[in-house]
Amino acid sequence: MTDLIGTLPGMVKSSLESEENKLPVVETRDEFDVEISGTIGKPLVQNAKMSSRNCDVFYGDKQAIFNINLDIGKNEIIAMIGPSGCGKSTYLRVLNRMNDTIPICRVTGEHTLDGEDIYAAEQDPVLLRARVGMVFQKPNPFPKSIYDNVAYGAKLHGLATNRSELDDLVEASLIKAGLFKEVKDDLLMPGTGLSGGQQQRLCIARAIAVDPEVILMDEPTSALDPIATATIEELMDELKENYTIAIVTHSMQQAARVSQRTAYFHLGKLVEVNDTNTVFTNPEHKLTENYITGRFG
Amino acid sequence: MQLGKHISQRFTQNLEDIRNKVLVMGGLVESQADNAVKSLLEANAELAEEVSISDYKVNKMEVAIDEQCVQVIARNQPAASDLRLVIAVVKVITDLERIGDEAEKIGRESIKLAKYPTVNQLHAELSHLSQLVLGMLHDALDAFARMDTELALKIVANGDLVNKEYNNLSRLLITHMMEDPRNIKSVLRVTWCARSLERIGDHSRNICEYVVYFVKGKDIRHTSLDEVLADHFPGEMERKI
């Protein structure tokens, strides 16, 4: 290539030889110059399943989340991305009151599920968590049989009146989670004996068994291999027909693959929410652009 | 957006390398087009020959850059502006390669035309069209090198000028053929050259559209200039290029 440079017309030649031969600079501001004033994009939707308004979260004196306003649409998969410590998991835990278990954690703002205040005094967090299920980063099956893992919640909430109904429920949940074929002959084996991907699908089956409306997933595949990950992503796509899913993920490719909308969090603020297509091809906010193109960590 | 700030330096290097290669390819294509026009206007068969056998260099660069783009996509999964850069590059080099082909065609015709004096009578008109087109190509490459959307839009807006000039020249060529049918063979060759020049203008315009795509994230192909200005360059509307 270098031998060609000598033969080139002036403009190109000088451009190639100049010290400033760096990639093009397009209207840029340094990342630290960028202020986050409110969320840009489309944080609110018409058919919201869950909504948060003016959400602040504090751990003791420290504020972890600043004034988040976000809707999670019915039957959509919304992906939440952002660098570590940006508050995305904290926000996810707001949605089924998992933060209640942390004594120093204080959540403010209005949070609704189908228009109903989930932080209302009369709201029972246990019932709420049946409606808003959660799947965690590390598969955490109970030290019980596969059958009992799935049946546990259903028994607790009295969803089956007799053994055969419970059997059906366990089978249906395992089928929905895409695990039934692999475990149908080993239902009485311990859940902890399954592979990582199977355990995670068992946890999803357990979440589905109590017939939730929303499933929160906190990095559900970060401990899994690509094949198990693909299975779970495929599963999410099927699940969104019946459920609403919010997923926190560190894999941007995963967010791009599975979600319809993507929310970008930065230092406790919700910077941008947009259609996933927009976020990954032409994000509106500088910080989103920097994060998804790998310009800071 | 400073493309040189990735955490992965190799990624940055790869993108910079790709862009530099496109600039080199652009320069090569520009000199091919310049020489093709020169050989046509000056009836220089030797230069024409050189142009027509040098096209392989352009083709080779297209293949190499394409390959590198595929590798970057496979290895780094570029997103947002990086993705737009790679996509724009893949498209730009396709147009560059076509411009190279058109230059080669002009070269081949020029070899034959050099034996006839036909071109002399058409010199003024041909030279006018060529200057217009070569200027457009030069500016388009400049707009790409600097990712300058204003310049790019100006070129897109001027696309009609080339068409007008081409139509005028076509009429003139038809007159020449009617005046003396013995001219037909060589005037047809000139027509093909004019056609190639017009195509180079179109490809240059495409390159400008990809510049806008990269910078603004908006696809302005097959959109009228007024719409483009109203939708994406509200400030420009008043100035009206």
Side-chain angles (χ1 to χ4, degrees), chain A residues 1 4-5 7-9 11-12 15-16 21-31 253 279-283 286 289 292-297, chain B residues 1-3 5-7 11-12 15-16 19-21 23-24 27-28 30 61 77 79-84 138 141-142 147 214-218:
Chain A
M1 196 177 100
L4 282 171
I5 294 181
T7 68
L8 298 174
M11 179 276 297
V12 177
S15 160
L16 280 169
N21 179 27
K22 291 288 165 244
L23 279 162
V25 180
V26 186
E27 310 124 30
T28 171
R29 291 186 295 174
D30 199 276
E31 68 183 77
Q253 278 77 37
V279 170
F280 286 93
T281 58
N282 194 12
K286 192 80 230 141
E289 165 93 27
I292 65 167
T293 56
R295 281 188 175 75
F296 62 80
Chain B
M1 120 189 61
Q2 183 103 38
L3 290 195
K5 270 191 182 170
H6 293 98
I7 298 161
F11 184 22
T12 305
L15 287 178
E16 285 185 355
R19 175 173 163 274
N20 288 345
K21 281 186 179 153
L23 293 183
V24 172
L28 186 64
E30 194 181 357
M61 289 212 73
Q77 293 99 40
S81 62
D82 297 334
L83 177 64
R84 300 203 303 274
H138 176 88
L141 291 171
D142 205 12
M147 288 301 169
F214 166 63
V215 177
K216 299 268 175 184
K218 307 289 179 193

Coordinates of all heavy atoms in Angstrom, one line a residue, chain A residues 1 4-5 7-9 11-12 15-16 21-31 253 279-283 286 289 292-297, chain B residues 1-3 5-7 11-12 15-16 19-21 23-24 27-28 30 61 77 79-84 138 141-142 147 214-218:
Chain A
M1 N 0.8 -1.2 0.0 CA 0.0 0.0 0.0 C 0.9 1.3 0.0 O 0.6 2.2 -0.7 CB -0.9 0.0 1.2 CG -2.0 1.0 1.2 SD -3.1 0.9 2.6 CE -2.4 2.3 3.5
L4 N 1.9 3.0 -3.1 CA 0.9 3.7 -3.9 C 0.8 5.2 -3.5 O 0.5 6.0 -4.3 CB -0.5 3.0 -3.6 CG -0.7 1.7 -4.4 CD1 -2.0 1.1 -3.8 CD2 -0.9 2.0 -5.8
I5 N 1.2 5.5 -2.3 CA 1.0 6.8 -1.7 C 1.6 7.9 -2.6 O 1.0 8.9 -2.9 CB 1.4 6.9 -0.3 CG1 0.5 6.0 0.6 CG2 1.3 8.3 0.2 CD1 0.8 6.0 2.0
T7 N 1.9 8.1 -5.6 CA 1.3 8.3 -6.9 C -0.1 9.1 -6.7 O -0.8 9.3 -7.7 CB 0.9 7.0 -7.7 OG1 -0.1 6.3 -6.9 CG2 2.2 6.2 -7.8
L8 N -0.4 9.4 -5.5 CA -1.7 9.9 -5.2 C -1.8 11.4 -5.4 O -0.9 12.2 -5.2 CB -2.1 9.6 -3.8 CG -2.2 8.1 -3.5 CD1 -2.5 7.9 -2.0 CD2 -3.3 7.5 -4.3
P9 N -3.0 11.9 -5.8 CA -3.3 13.3 -5.9 C -3.1 14.0 -4.5 O -3.2 13.3 -3.5 CB -4.7 13.4 -6.3 CG -5.2 12.1 -6.7 CD -4.2 11.1 -6.1
M11 N -4.7 16.0 -2.3 CA -5.6 16.0 -1.1 C -5.4 14.7 -0.3 O -5.1 14.8 0.9 CB -7.0 16.1 -1.5 CG -8.0 16.1 -0.4 SD -8.5 14.4 0.1 CE -9.3 13.8 -1.3
V12 N -5.5 13.6 -1.0 CA -5.4 12.3 -0.3 C -4.0 12.1 0.4 O -3.8 11.7 1.5 CB -5.7 11.1 -1.2 CG1 -5.5 9.8 -0.5 CG2 -7.1 11.3 -1.8
S15 N -3.5 14.2 3.3 CA -4.3 13.7 4.4 C -3.7 12.5 5.0 O -3.7 12.3 6.2 CB -5.7 13.4 3.9 OG -6.3 12.5 4.7
L16 N -3.0 11.6 4.2 CA -2.4 10.4 4.7 C -1.1 10.7 5.4 O -0.7 10.0 6.3 CB -2.2 9.4 3.6 CG -3.4 8.6 3.1 CD1 -3.1 7.9 1.8 CD2 -3.8 7.7 4.2
N21 N -3.6 12.3 10.9 CA -4.2 11.3 10.2 C -4.9 10.3 11.1 O -4.6 9.1 11.3 CB -3.2 10.5 9.3 CG -3.9 9.4 8.6 OD1 -5.1 9.5 8.3 ND2 -3.2 8.4 8.2
K22 N -5.9 10.8 11.8 CA -6.7 10.0 12.7 C -8.0 9.8 12.1 O -8.4 10.5 11.1 CB -6.8 10.7 14.1 CG -5.5 10.7 14.8 CD -5.1 9.3 15.3 CE -3.6 9.3 15.7 NZ -2.8 8.4 14.9
L23 N -8.8 9.0 12.7 CA -10.2 8.8 12.1 C -11.0 10.1 12.3 O -10.7 10.9 13.1 CB -10.8 7.6 12.8 CG -10.4 6.3 12.2 CD1 -10.6 5.2 13.2 CD2 -11.0 6.1 10.9
P24 N -12.0 10.2 11.5 CA -12.7 11.5 11.4 C -13.3 11.9 12.8 O -13.7 11.0 13.5 CB -13.8 11.2 10.4 CG -13.9 9.7 10.3 CD -12.6 9.2 10.6
V25 N -13.3 13.2 13.0 CA -13.9 13.7 14.2 C -15.2 14.3 13.8 O -15.3 15.2 13.0 CB -13.0 14.8 14.8 CG1 -13.6 15.3 16.0 CG2 -11.6 14.2 15.0
V26 N -16.3 13.8 14.4 CA -17.6 14.4 14.1 C -18.1 15.0 15.4 O -18.2 14.3 16.4 CB -18.5 13.3 13.6 CG1 -19.8 13.9 13.2 CG2 -17.9 12.5 12.5
E27 N -18.6 16.2 15.3 CA -19.1 17.0 16.4 C -19.0 16.2 17.7 O -19.9 15.5 18.1 CB -20.6 17.3 16.2 CG -21.0 17.9 14.9 CD -22.1 17.1 14.2 OE1 -22.9 16.5 14.9 OE2 -22.1 17.1 13.0
T28 N -17.9 16.5 18.4 CA -17.7 15.6 19.6 C -17.6 16.5 20.8 O -17.2 17.6 20.8 CB -16.5 14.8 19.4 OG1 -16.2 14.1 20.7 CG2 -15.3 15.6 19.0
R29 N -18.0 15.9 21.9 CA -17.7 16.5 23.2 C -17.1 15.4 24.1 O -17.4 14.3 23.9 CB -19.0 17.0 23.9 CG -19.6 18.2 23.1 CD -20.7 18.8 23.9 NE -21.8 17.8 23.9 CZ -22.9 18.0 24.6 NH1 -23.1 19.1 25.3 NH2 -23.9 17.1 24.6
D30 N -16.2 15.9 25.0 CA -15.6 14.9 25.8 C -16.7 14.2 26.7 O -17.6 14.9 27.1 CB -14.6 15.6 26.7 CG -13.6 14.5 27.3 OD1 -14.0 13.9 28.3 OD2 -12.6 14.3 26.7
E31 N -16.5 13.0 27.1 CA -17.5 12.3 27.8 C -17.9 13.0 29.1 O -19.0 13.0 29.5 CB -17.1 10.8 28.1 CG -16.0 10.7 29.1 CD -15.6 9.3 29.3 OE1 -15.0 8.7 28.4 OE2 -16.0 8.7 30.3
Q253 N -24.4 -7.6 22.9 CA -24.9 -8.4 21.8 C -26.2 -9.0 22.3 O -27.2 -9.2 21.5 CB -23.9 -9.4 21.4 CG -22.9 -8.9 20.4 CD -21.8 -8.1 21.1 OE1 -21.4 -8.5 22.2 NE2 -21.4 -7.0 20.5
V279 N -30.9 2.2 19.3 CA -29.8 2.3 20.2 C -28.5 1.7 19.6 O -27.4 2.3 19.8 CB -30.1 1.6 21.6 CG1 -28.9 1.5 22.4 CG2 -31.2 2.3 22.3
F280 N -28.6 0.6 18.9 CA -27.4 0.0 18.4 C -26.9 0.5 17.0 O -25.8 0.1 16.6 CB -27.5 -1.5 18.4 CG -27.5 -2.1 19.8 CD1 -28.6 -2.3 20.6 CD2 -26.3 -2.3 20.4 CE1 -28.6 -2.7 21.9 CE2 -26.2 -2.8 21.7 CZ -27.4 -2.9 22.5
T281 N -27.7 1.3 16.4 CA -27.2 1.8 15.1 C -27.0 3.3 15.2 O -26.1 3.9 14.6 CB -28.2 1.5 13.9 OG1 -29.5 2.1 14.2 CG2 -28.3 0.1 13.7
N282 N -27.9 4.0 15.9 CA -27.8 5.5 15.9 C -28.3 6.0 17.2 O -29.3 6.7 17.3 CB -28.6 6.0 14.7 CG -28.2 7.5 14.5 OD1 -27.3 8.0 15.0 ND2 -29.1 8.1 13.7
P283 N -27.5 5.7 18.3 CA -28.0 6.2 19.6 C -28.0 7.7 19.7 O -27.2 8.4 19.0 CB -27.0 5.6 20.6 CG -25.8 5.4 19.8 CD -26.2 5.1 18.4
K286 N -24.6 10.8 23.6 CA -23.2 10.6 23.5 C -22.7 9.5 24.4 O -21.9 8.6 24.0 CB -22.5 11.9 24.0 CG -21.1 12.0 23.7 CD -20.8 12.4 22.3 CE -19.8 11.5 21.7 NZ -20.0 11.1 20.4
E289 N -23.6 6.1 23.1 CA -22.7 5.8 21.9 C -21.4 5.3 22.5 O -20.8 4.3 22.0 CB -22.5 7.1 21.1 CG -21.4 7.1 20.2 CD -21.7 6.7 18.8 OE1 -22.9 6.9 18.4 OE2 -20.9 6.2 18.1
I292 N -21.7 1.7 24.1 CA -21.9 0.5 23.2 C -20.8 0.4 22.2 O -20.7 -0.7 21.6 CB -23.3 0.5 22.5 CG1 -23.5 1.7 21.6 CG2 -24.4 0.5 23.5 CD1 -24.7 1.5 20.7
T293 N -20.1 1.4 21.9 CA -19.0 1.2 21.0 C -17.7 0.9 21.7 O -16.6 0.7 21.1 CB -18.7 2.5 20.1 OG1 -18.5 3.6 21.0 CG2 -19.9 2.8 19.2
G294 N -17.8 0.8 23.0 CA -16.6 0.3 23.8 C -15.6 1.4 23.9 O -14.4 1.2 23.8
R295 N -16.0 2.7 24.2 CA -15.1 3.8 24.3 C -14.7 4.1 25.8 O -13.8 4.9 26.0 CB -15.5 5.0 23.6 CG -15.3 4.9 22.1 CD -15.6 6.2 21.4 NE -15.2 6.1 20.0 CZ -15.9 5.4 19.1 NH1 -17.0 4.8 19.5 NH2 -15.6 5.4 17.9
F296 N -15.4 3.6 26.7 CA -14.9 3.6 28.1 C -15.5 2.5 28.9 O -16.5 1.9 28.5 CB -15.3 5.0 28.8 CG -16.7 5.2 28.9 CD1 -17.5 4.7 29.9 CD2 -17.4 6.1 27.9 CE1 -18.9 4.9 30.0 CE2 -18.7 6.3 28.0 CZ -19.5 5.7 29.0
G297 N -15.0 2.2 30.0 CA -15.4 1.0 30.8 C -16.1 1.4 32.1 O -16.1 2.5 32.5
Chain B
M1 N -17.6 12.6 17.9 CA -17.2 11.2 18.2 C -15.8 11.0 17.6 O -15.5 11.1 16.4 CB -18.3 10.3 17.5 CG -17.9 9.4 16.5 SD -19.4 8.7 15.8 CE -20.3 10.1 15.1
Q2 N -14.9 10.8 18.6 CA -13.5 10.6 18.2 C -13.3 9.1 18.0 O -13.4 8.3 19.0 CB -12.6 11.1 19.3 CG -11.1 11.0 18.9 CD -10.6 12.4 18.5 OE1 -11.0 13.4 19.0 NE2 -9.7 12.3 17.5
L3 N -13.1 8.6 16.8 CA -13.0 7.2 16.6 C -11.8 6.5 17.2 O -11.7 5.3 17.3 CB -13.1 6.8 15.1 CG -14.5 7.1 14.5 CD1 -14.5 6.4 13.1 CD2 -15.6 6.7 15.3
K5 N -10.8 6.4 20.3 CA -10.8 6.3 21.8 C -11.3 5.0 22.3 O -11.8 4.9 23.5 CB -11.6 7.4 22.4 CG -10.9 8.7 22.6 CD -11.7 9.6 23.5 CE -11.1 10.9 23.8 NZ -12.1 11.8 24.4
H6 N -11.3 3.9 21.5 CA -11.8 2.6 22.0 C -10.9 2.1 23.1 O -9.7 2.4 23.1 CB -11.8 1.6 20.9 CG -12.8 1.9 19.8 ND1 -12.5 2.5 18.7 CD2 -14.1 1.7 19.8 CE1 -13.5 2.7 17.9 NE2 -14.6 2.2 18.6
I7 N -11.5 1.3 24.0 CA -10.7 0.7 25.0 C -9.7 -0.3 24.3 O -8.6 -0.4 24.7 CB -11.6 -0.1 26.0 CG1 -12.5 1.0 26.7 CG2 -10.7 -0.8 27.0 CD1 -13.7 0.4 27.4
F11 N -8.9 -2.5 17.9 CA -10.1 -2.2 17.2 C -9.9 -0.8 16.5 O -10.2 -0.7 15.3 CB -11.2 -2.2 18.2 CG -12.6 -2.0 17.6 CD1 -12.9 -2.2 16.3 CD2 -13.6 -1.5 18.5 CE1 -14.1 -2.0 15.8 CE2 -14.9 -1.3 17.9 CZ -15.2 -1.5 16.6
T12 N -9.4 0.1 17.3 CA -9.2 1.5 16.8 C -8.3 1.4 15.6 O -8.5 2.0 14.5 CB -8.6 2.4 17.8 OG1 -9.5 2.4 19.0 CG2 -8.4 3.8 17.3
L15 N -9.9 0.0 12.5 CA -10.8 1.0 11.9 C -10.0 2.1 11.1 O -10.3 2.5 10.0 CB -11.7 1.6 12.9 CG -12.9 0.8 13.4 CD1 -13.7 1.5 14.5 CD2 -13.8 0.3 12.3
E16 N -8.9 2.5 11.8 CA -8.1 3.6 11.2 C -7.5 3.0 9.9 O -7.4 3.7 8.9 CB -7.1 4.1 12.1 CG -7.6 5.0 13.2 CD -6.6 5.6 14.1 OE1 -5.4 5.2 14.0 OE2 -6.9 6.4 14.9
R19 N -10.0 2.9 7.1 CA -10.3 4.2 6.6 C -9.1 4.7 5.7 O -9.3 5.2 4.6 CB -10.5 5.2 7.7 CG -10.7 6.6 7.2 CD -11.2 7.5 8.2 NE -11.0 8.9 7.8 CZ -9.9 9.6 8.0 NH1 -8.8 9.0 8.5 NH2 -9.8 10.8 7.6
N20 N -7.9 4.5 6.2 CA -6.7 4.9 5.4 C -6.7 4.2 4.1 O -6.4 4.8 3.0 CB -5.4 4.6 6.2 CG -5.3 5.6 7.3 OD1 -6.0 6.6 7.4 ND2 -4.4 5.3 8.3
K21 N -7.0 2.9 4.1 CA -7.0 2.2 2.8 C -8.0 2.7 1.9 O -7.8 2.8 0.7 CB -7.2 0.7 3.1 CG -5.9 0.0 3.5 CD -6.1 -1.5 3.6 CE -4.8 -2.1 4.1 NZ -5.0 -3.4 4.8
L23 N -9.0 5.8 1.7 CA -8.4 7.0 1.2 C -7.4 6.7 0.1 O -7.4 7.4 -1.0 CB -7.8 7.9 2.3 CG -8.7 8.4 3.4 CD1 -7.9 9.3 4.4 CD2 -9.8 9.2 2.7
V24 N -6.6 5.8 0.3 CA -5.6 5.4 -0.7 C -6.3 4.9 -2.0 O -6.0 5.3 -3.1 CB -4.7 4.3 -0.2 CG1 -3.8 3.8 -1.3 CG2 -3.8 4.8 0.9
G27 N -7.8 7.8 -3.7 CA -6.8 8.5 -4.5 C -6.4 7.8 -5.8 O -6.3 8.4 -6.9
L28 N -6.3 6.5 -5.7 CA -6.0 5.7 -6.9 C -7.0 5.8 -7.9 O -6.8 6.0 -9.1 CB -5.8 4.2 -6.4 CG -5.3 3.2 -7.5 CD1 -3.9 3.6 -7.9 CD2 -5.4 1.8 -6.9
E30 N -9.2 8.2 -8.2 CA -9.2 9.6 -8.7 C -8.2 9.7 -9.8 O -8.4 10.3 -10.9 CB -9.0 10.6 -7.6 CG -9.3 12.0 -8.0 CD -9.1 13.0 -6.9 OE1 -8.7 12.6 -5.8 OE2 -9.2 14.2 -7.1
M61 N -7.7 -3.6 -4.3 CA -7.9 -2.9 -3.0 C -9.3 -3.1 -2.5 O -9.5 -3.2 -1.3 CB -7.7 -1.4 -3.2 CG -6.2 -1.1 -3.4 SD -5.8 0.6 -2.8 CE -5.8 0.3 -1.1
Q77 N -17.6 -6.9 16.4 CA -19.0 -6.5 16.5 C -19.2 -5.0 16.7 O -19.8 -4.6 17.7 CB -19.8 -7.3 17.6 CG -19.8 -8.8 17.4 CD -18.8 -9.5 18.1 OE1 -18.5 -9.2 19.3 NE2 -18.2 -10.5 17.5
A79 N -20.7 -1.3 16.8 CA -22.0 -0.9 16.9 C -22.1 0.6 16.7 O -21.0 1.3 16.6 CB -22.5 -1.2 18.4
A80 N -23.2 1.2 16.6 CA -23.5 2.6 16.4 C -22.5 3.2 15.4 O -22.5 2.7 14.3 CB -23.3 3.3 17.8
S81 N -21.8 4.3 15.7 CA -21.0 5.0 14.7 C -19.9 4.1 14.0 O -19.6 4.2 12.9 CB -20.4 6.2 15.2 OG -19.5 5.9 16.2
D82 N -19.4 3.1 14.8 CA -18.4 2.2 14.3 C -19.0 1.3 13.2 O -18.5 1.1 12.2 CB -17.8 1.3 15.4 CG -17.1 2.2 16.4 OD1 -16.6 3.2 16.1 OD2 -17.0 1.7 17.6
L83 N -20.2 0.9 13.5 CA -21.0 0.0 12.6 C -21.3 0.8 11.3 O -21.1 0.3 10.2 CB -22.3 -0.5 13.2 CG -23.2 -1.3 12.3 CD1 -22.5 -2.6 12.0 CD2 -24.5 -1.6 13.0
R84 N -21.7 2.0 11.5 CA -22.0 2.9 10.4 C -20.8 3.1 9.5 O -20.9 3.2 8.3 CB -22.7 4.2 10.8 CG -24.0 4.0 11.6 CD -24.9 5.2 11.5 NE -24.2 6.4 12.0 CZ -24.2 6.9 13.2 NH1 -24.8 6.1 14.2 NH2 -23.5 8.0 13.5
H138 N -13.6 14.5 -6.9 CA -12.6 15.0 -5.9 C -13.3 15.5 -4.6 O -12.8 15.1 -3.5 CB -11.8 16.1 -6.6 CG -10.8 16.8 -5.7 ND1 -9.5 16.4 -5.5 CD2 -11.0 17.8 -4.8 CE1 -8.9 17.1 -4.6 NE2 -9.8 18.0 -4.2
L141 N -14.6 12.6 -2.4 CA -13.5 11.9 -1.7 C -13.0 12.8 -0.5 O -12.8 12.4 0.6 CB -12.3 11.6 -2.6 CG -12.6 10.5 -3.6 CD1 -11.4 10.4 -4.6 CD2 -12.8 9.2 -2.9
D142 N -13.0 14.1 -0.8 CA -12.7 15.1 0.2 C -13.7 15.0 1.4 O -13.4 15.0 2.5 CB -12.7 16.5 -0.4 CG -11.8 17.4 0.3 OD1 -11.0 16.9 1.2 OD2 -11.8 18.6 0.1
M147 N -15.2 13.6 6.5 CA -16.6 13.4 7.0 C -17.4 14.7 7.1 O -18.0 15.0 8.1 CB -16.6 12.6 8.3 CG -16.1 11.2 8.1 SD -17.2 10.3 7.0 CE -16.2 8.8 6.7
F214 N -23.0 8.0 7.6 CA -22.1 7.7 8.7 C -22.2 8.8 9.8 O -22.3 8.5 11.0 CB -20.6 7.7 8.2 CG -19.6 7.8 9.3 CD1 -19.5 6.9 10.3 CD2 -18.8 8.9 9.4 CE1 -18.6 7.0 11.3 CE2 -17.9 9.1 10.5 CZ -17.8 8.1 11.4
V215 N -22.2 10.1 9.4 CA -22.2 11.2 10.4 C -23.6 11.3 11.1 O -23.6 11.4 12.3 CB -21.9 12.5 9.7 CG1 -21.9 13.6 10.7 CG2 -20.5 12.4 9.1
K216 N -24.6 11.3 10.3 CA -26.0 11.5 10.9 C -26.8 10.3 11.2 O -27.8 10.4 11.9 CB -26.8 12.4 9.9 CG -26.2 13.7 9.6 CD -26.7 14.8 10.6 CE -26.0 16.1 10.3 NZ -26.4 17.1 11.3
G217 N -26.3 9.1 10.7 CA -27.1 7.9 10.9 C -28.4 7.9 10.1 O -29.3 7.2 10.4
K218 N -28.5 8.8 9.1 CA -29.7 8.8 8.3 C -29.4 8.4 6.9 O -28.4 8.8 6.3 CB -30.2 10.2 8.2 CG -30.4 10.9 9.6 CD -31.6 10.3 10.3 CE -31.7 11.0 11.7 NZ -32.5 10.3 12.6

